[in-house]
């Protein structure tokens, strides 16, 4: 049965490509790393069609001589290591010698290169893995790699590609990471002739952050540094007035390589403990320098994760460096009252500042992260100061009369008891089944209601009514939240500012492709402003419908209603079931959810009789 066979080079390369080249941004990353390893001082990246049509990276680095060019494209051919032991002292970004071979296997690749000594360049073309002979060509010293039609011969990969904007966002992120790691190199990035980044040299790290993420964030940065023997940590962390809903803005670099490291992210979180609301994460741009033999960079296909020999020590060093700095930094000076804070909100900016003063003056927790409970509480930041104002419209609660709100503590799992049912109007007697359908009796049989579809319809009607009468509740954010979008998304969002304003979504430009959310519809309390904006951006930039066929406002209303509604799978307590059913009669079209699906099905008594053969 089993017949063992050697795989062809082409198959081997495709498998390797599968690991290393996930999307166009992976090509950008690999080519950039090669250019950096070649000692380039300027690197120009051109992307077309999200990177599927073209990724071109041109550098002014050392170049490759004509006779070496075929080797550069061969598998497991590298100039960066010689023997296995070298793996423990890798000082270049690449070392596996498989990136170019992998990329060439799944694209049409042209490489032109010229060393400083050579008086002409050399060119090599590879189509889906088969190479031409090296030919002379005219080109400046350095290397230009052009990758066209990525994944043209791997249709499966192609299927996983997202929209042009999304793919471009990943490429832009790849450039940003390396540009942050290498402030001494001039980077440019163009997409379809539009300049996305131009990051000249002479810029320090702070300037680079400013160009990539806006002045506001750059101004909030706090320098930290610490040395412990040969291990050095240095870079910037943001003032706690700037934070994100995820850890994406935690840029960590190890010897110039961008890495992700859970332990170091945790150290960051610890350093900010008490300074950020739960669910918020610090922003950081930190370089770690250490002897290459103290870290294994060969544990992850794209080398994103690494293994430190002394992980615990580095954790403590980072934590101590930031805490020490915070102790001597007047964090209060930077927490400016946001314009969106209600002037007479008693828990507003003033309180926030004095809380921070108190925090900063208090003794800091020791480096031992396992704090005794009692001590810890001293440092617990009074989060109420950062919290948003109470939300009036929170999913079901939003539309709930007060009488029901009082019953909300009924345990979700409680079966409806006698007392519950006695409080309920008899016609709303219903049973939730499978956490998604409500079953109740109707005049001529039984009614099965889809809880999500009905709630969505109810919310949609109410939302539309409020928008039309201009009575929509907007929730102002105490601290406006910057959200990074793709260039196209940011443009679409800002163009639709007025329309979004009608929906209670308040946005402002924030530099680059970042948009600041300063208010959002109160009924969307369960959604983070960033998620909301991404959804909105998605609707605005297409949402899967042709531009003529759409009524943008209506689409957005549907989207919001859908997001705010209870979901299939949400367990409802008896009071919630009652309330939802009572609203059924308030909506214009209770039979269909906004997507046009039915909200309820009737099984008539005669139908049931027939099925039970009662006749
Ligand atoms: P690796 O970077 O792991 O060595 P690659 O497949 O990315 O493997 O590149 C293979 C070799 O080609 C490199 O080791 C390097 O010698 C050469 N090379 C690739 N890109 C460049 C470039 N832009 N400038 C100079 N040399 C390059
Ligand atoms: Mg490489």
């Amino acid at each position: 049965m089993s017949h063992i066979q050697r795989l062809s080079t082409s198959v081997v390369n495709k498998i390797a490509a599968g690991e290393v080249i996930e999307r166009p941004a992976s090509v950008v990353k690999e080519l950039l790393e090669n250019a950096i390893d070649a000692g380039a001082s300027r690197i120009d990246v051109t992307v077309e069609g999200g990177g599927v049509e073209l990724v071109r990276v041109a550098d002014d680095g050392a170049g490759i001589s004509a006779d070496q060019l075929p080797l550069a494209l061969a598998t497991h051919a590298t100039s960066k290591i010689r023997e296995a032991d070298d793996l423990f002292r890798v000082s270049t970004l690449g070392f596996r010698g498989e990136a170019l071979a992998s990329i060439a296997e799944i694209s049409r690749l042209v490489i032109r290169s010229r060393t400083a000594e050579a008086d002409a360049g050399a060119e090599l073309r590879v189509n889906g893995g088969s190479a031409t002979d090296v030919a002379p060509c005219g080109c400046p010293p350095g290397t230009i790699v052009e990758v066209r039609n990525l994944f043209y011969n791997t249709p499966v990969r192609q299927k996983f590609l997202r929209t042009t904007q999304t793919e471009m966002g990943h490429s832009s992120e790849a450039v940003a990471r390396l540009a942050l790691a290498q402030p001494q190199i001039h980077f440019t990035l163009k997409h379809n002739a539009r300049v996305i980044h131009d990051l000249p040299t002479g810029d320090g790290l702070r300037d680079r952050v400013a160009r990539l993420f806006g002045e506001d964030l750059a101004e909030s940065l706090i320098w930290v540094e610490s040395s412990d023997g040969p291990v050095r940590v240095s870079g910037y962390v943001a003032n706690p007035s700037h934070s994100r809903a995820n850890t994406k803005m935690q840029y960590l670099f190890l010897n110039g390589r961008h890495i992700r490291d859970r332990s170091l992210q945790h150290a960051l979180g610890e350093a900010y403990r008490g300074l950020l609301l739960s669910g918020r994460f610090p922003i950081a741009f930190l370089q770690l320098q250490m002897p290459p033999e103290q870290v294994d960079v060969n544990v992850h296909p794209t080398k994103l994760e690494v293994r430190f020999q002394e992980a615990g020590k580095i954790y403590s060093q980072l934590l101590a460096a930031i805490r020490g700095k915070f102790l001597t930094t007047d964090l209060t000076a930077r927490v400016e009252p946001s314009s969106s804070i209600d002037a007479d909100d008693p828990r507003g900016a003033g309180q926030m500042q004095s809380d921070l003063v108190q925090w900063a003056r208090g003794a800091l927790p020791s480096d031992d992260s396992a704090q005794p409970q009692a001590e810890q509480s001293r440092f617990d930041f009074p989060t109420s100061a950062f919290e948003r104002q109470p939300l009036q419209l929170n999913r079901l609660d939003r539309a709930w009369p007060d009488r029901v709100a009082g019953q909300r503590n009924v345990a979700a799992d409680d079966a409806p008891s006698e007392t519950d049912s006695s409080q309920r109007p008899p016609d709303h007697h219903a049973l939730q089944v499978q956490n998604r359908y409500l079953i109740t009796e109707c005049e001529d049989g039984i009614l099965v209601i889809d809880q999500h579809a009905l709630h969505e319809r109810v919310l949609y009607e109410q939302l539309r009514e409020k928008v039309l009468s201009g009575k929509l509740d907007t929730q102002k954010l105490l601290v406006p939240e910057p959200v990074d979008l793709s260039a196209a998304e940011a443009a679409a969002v800002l163009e639709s500012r007025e329309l979004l304003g009608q929906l209670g979504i308040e946005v402002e430009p924030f530099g680059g492709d970042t948009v600041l959310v300063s208010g959002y519809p109160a009924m969307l309390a369960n959604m983070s402003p960033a998620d909301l904006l991404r959804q909105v951006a998605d609707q605005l930039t297409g949402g899967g419908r042709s531009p003529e066929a759409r009524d943008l406002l209506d689409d957005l209303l549907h989207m919001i209603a859908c997001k705010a509604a209870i979901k299939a799978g949400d367990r409802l307590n008896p009071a919630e079931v009652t309330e939802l059913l009572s609203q059924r009669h308030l909506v214009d079209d209770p039979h269909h959810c906004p997507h046009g699906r039915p909200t309820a099905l009737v099984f008539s008594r005669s139908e049931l009789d027939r099925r039970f053969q009662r006749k």
Side-chain angles (χ1 to χ4, degrees):
M1 251 304 250
S2 71
H3 176 68
I4 302 178
Q5 230 180 327
R6 253 181 212 290
L7 297 172
S8 70
T9 313
S10 158
V11 174
V12 170
N13 286 352
K14 280 212 179 76
I15 293 172
E19 277 196 338
V20 183
I21 310 299
E22 191 191 343
R23 54 179 6 137
S26 323
V27 174
V28 172
K29 170 182 179 274
E30 293 295 337
L31 298 184
L32 277 176
E33 290 191 348
N34 282 347
I36 293 168
D37 283 345
S41 60
R42 172 166 181 148
I43 307 175
D44 297 298
V45 185
T46 310
V47 176
E48 281 168 21
V52 183
E53 285 166 28
L54 171 71
V55 173
R56 179 197 295 120
V57 174
D59 69 60
D60 61 358
I64 308 168
S65 60
D67 59 315
Q68 294 265 291
L69 209 48
L71 265 179
L73 271 298
T75 10
H76 304 303
T78 177
S79 57
K80 299 169 193 174
I81 58 172
R82 294 271 170 259
E83 44 202 313
D85 268 2
D86 292 347
L87 278 177
F88 301 103
R89 40 177 180 268
V90 172
S91 59
T92 47
L93 295 171
F95 55 82
R96 291 194 178 158
E98 59 184 10
L100 285 182
S102 302
I103 296 168
E105 188 70 38
I106 53 173
S107 69
R108 302 181 210 280
L109 182 148
V110 182
I111 180 167
R112 291 187 195 95
S113 196
R114 182 178 152 191
T115 58
E117 308 80 49
D119 32 68
E123 175 186 299
L124 189 67
R125 293 172 175 265
V126 195
N127 280 341
S130 54
T132 59
D133 287 337
V134 176
C137 74
C139 67
T143 304
I144 302 169
V145 180
E146 287 180 3
V147 176
R148 292 181 196 275
N149 306 107
L150 185 67
F151 300 134
Y152 81 97
N153 55 358
T154 53
V156 178
R157 236 334 115 83
Q158 221 164 27
K159 273 197 205 124
F160 284 99
L161 289 174
R162 307 272 308 277
T163 61
T164 303
Q165 289 101 331
T166 305
E167 293 303 337
M168 193 51 213
H170 286 286
S171 287
S172 167
E173 173 69 16
V175 174
R177 286 173 180 175
L178 284 158
L180 287 165
Q182 316 279 343
Q184 77 290 357
I185 300 177
H186 183 166
F187 290 87
T188 67
L189 171 63
K190 271 198 221 158
H191 184 223
N192 299 339
R194 179 170 170 258
V195 177
I196 309 271
H197 298 311
D198 184 1
L199 308 166
T201 38
D203 278 18
L205 180 56
R206 190 195 283 265
D207 288 332
R208 208 143 259 205
V209 171
R211 285 182 194 272
L212 287 167
F213 304 106
E215 280 294 337
D216 196 32
L217 175 61
E219 275 169 23
S220 91
L221 295 180
I222 300 167
W223 178 256
V224 286
E225 65 178 302
S226 131
S227 290
D228 182 1
V231 180
R232 182 177 148 81
V233 176
S234 64
Y236 290 103
V237 296
N239 184 283
S241 59
H242 291 254
S243 65
R244 291 290 153 104
N246 53 50
T247 56
K248 279 190 201 145
M249 285 282 282
Q250 298 180 355
Y251 290 93
L252 303 176
F253 303 98
L254 167 72
N255 297 340
R257 181 193 304 284
H258 173 260
I259 58 160
R260 292 243 125 206
D261 187 272
R262 279 181 183 277
S263 151
L264 295 180
Q265 288 177 345
H266 189 268
L268 266 174
E270 279 299 302
Y272 279 74
R273 182 163 15 171
L275 286 170
L276 298 177
L277 262 186
S278 77
R280 304 295 301 177
F281 297 87
I283 297 170
F285 307 91
L286 293 169
Q287 281 276 11
L288 269 97
Q289 298 290 344
M290 66 178 68
E293 59 273 14
Q294 290 190 13
V295 56
D296 188 353
V297 293
N298 191 28
V299 293
H300 189 266
T302 60
K303 308 170 209 117
L304 184 61
E305 283 161 26
V306 298
R307 199 179 291 136
F308 295 108
Q309 241 167 44
E310 296 188 289
K313 235 174 130 182
I314 299 165
Y315 178 99
S316 307
Q317 190 180 343
L318 177 59
L319 182 57
I322 302 174
R323 277 187 178 159
K325 185 67 181 203
F326 280 1
L327 256 185
T328 57
T329 305
D330 183 8
L331 295 173
T332 58
R334 293 163 185 272
V335 182
E336 274 151 26
S338 154
S339 57
S340 61
I341 293 172
D342 210 338
D344 46 27
D345 174 2
R347 299 177 311 158
Q351 179 65 41
M352 187 157 81
Q353 289 206 359
S354 65
D355 286 334
L356 268 173
V357 177
Q358 234 177 3
W359 185 91
R361 287 190 186 139
L364 282 168
S366 74
D367 273 1
D368 179 4
S369 55
Q371 293 290 319
Q373 222 23 63
E375 206 197 26
Q376 207 177 322
S377 61
R378 267 200 293 138
F379 305 105
D380 275 350
F381 191 69
T383 48
S384 58
F386 274 146
E387 248 158 33
R388 296 166 186 157
Q389 296 158 12
L391 301 161
Q392 301 124 337
L393 306 170
N394 182 359
R395 288 227 216 145
L396 267 179
D397 323 51
R398 60 174 294 279
W400 282 32
D402 290 339
R403 65 178 171 83
V404 184
Q407 298 175 13
R408 289 221 63 209
N409 288 339
V410 179
D413 289 333
D414 278 355
S417 67
E418 275 314 313
T419 18
D420 287 333
S421 51
S422 67
Q423 288 170 358
R424 202 181 299 141
D427 56 325
H428 294 142
H429 201 90
L431 183 69
Q432 186 190 30
V433 296
Q434 303 294 332
N435 289 345
R436 61 189 63 206
Y437 296 115
L438 310 179
I439 299 190
T440 186
E441 188 176 358
C442 62
E443 215 173 343
D444 57 355
I446 57 177
L447 192 62
V448 181
I449 295 164
D450 177 328
Q451 65 183 39
H452 169 73
L454 174 59
H455 194 216
E456 187 179 328
R457 186 76 221 177
V458 168
L459 293 183
Y460 169 79
E461 295 282 347
Q462 290 175 341
L463 192 58
R464 191 177 58 179
E465 203 261 315
K466 289 200 171 193
V467 168
L468 294 181
S469 62
K471 283 195 300 235
L472 190 76
D473 297 313
T474 301
Q475 182 65 50
K476 294 271 191 193
L477 284 177
L478 201 52
V479 181
E481 179 161 331
V483 181
D484 296 321
L485 300 170
S486 73
E489 288 173 333
V493 165
L494 292 172
E495 267 163 31
S496 311
R497 253 172 107 173
E498 217 171 297
L499 178 73
L500 296 178
Q502 282 181 49
L503 289 161
I505 304 170
E506 295 179 0
V507 293
E508 296 155 38
F510 188 57
D513 298 332
T514 306
V515 172
L516 205 59
V517 184
S518 54
Y520 66 102
M523 65 186 285
L524 283 182
N526 288 315
M527 211 172 162
S528 82
D531 284 345
L532 170 66
L533 200 63
R534 296 223 161 78
Q535 294 281 347
V536 165
D538 203 44
Q539 289 288 331
L540 293 177
T541 52
R545 293 174 66 184
S546 70
E548 315 82 61
R550 45 211 304 251
D551 172 352
L552 214 45
L553 184 63
D554 207 51
D555 284 357
L556 289 169
L557 289 176
H558 284 165
M559 189 275 290
I560 293 174
C562 180
K563 293 295 164 194
I566 53 168
K567 305 280 176 291
D570 282 356
R571 178 85 183 163
L572 302 183
N573 67 37
E576 288 171 321
V577 170
T578 307
E579 184 54 30
L580 183 53
L581 286 181
S582 76
Q583 296 187 7
R584 183 160 189 266
H585 307 283
L586 303 178
V587 301
D588 285 343
D589 178 5
H591 301 299
H592 294 96
C593 80
H595 302 307
R597 288 190 291 116
T599 61
L601 299 172
V602 175
F603 292 86
S604 67
R605 196 186 112 182
S606 52
E607 166 75 357
L608 292 168
D609 283 350
R610 200 178 57 75
R611 297 232 170 192
F612 284 109
Q613 302 178 356
R614 272 177 173 273
K615 269 281 152 60

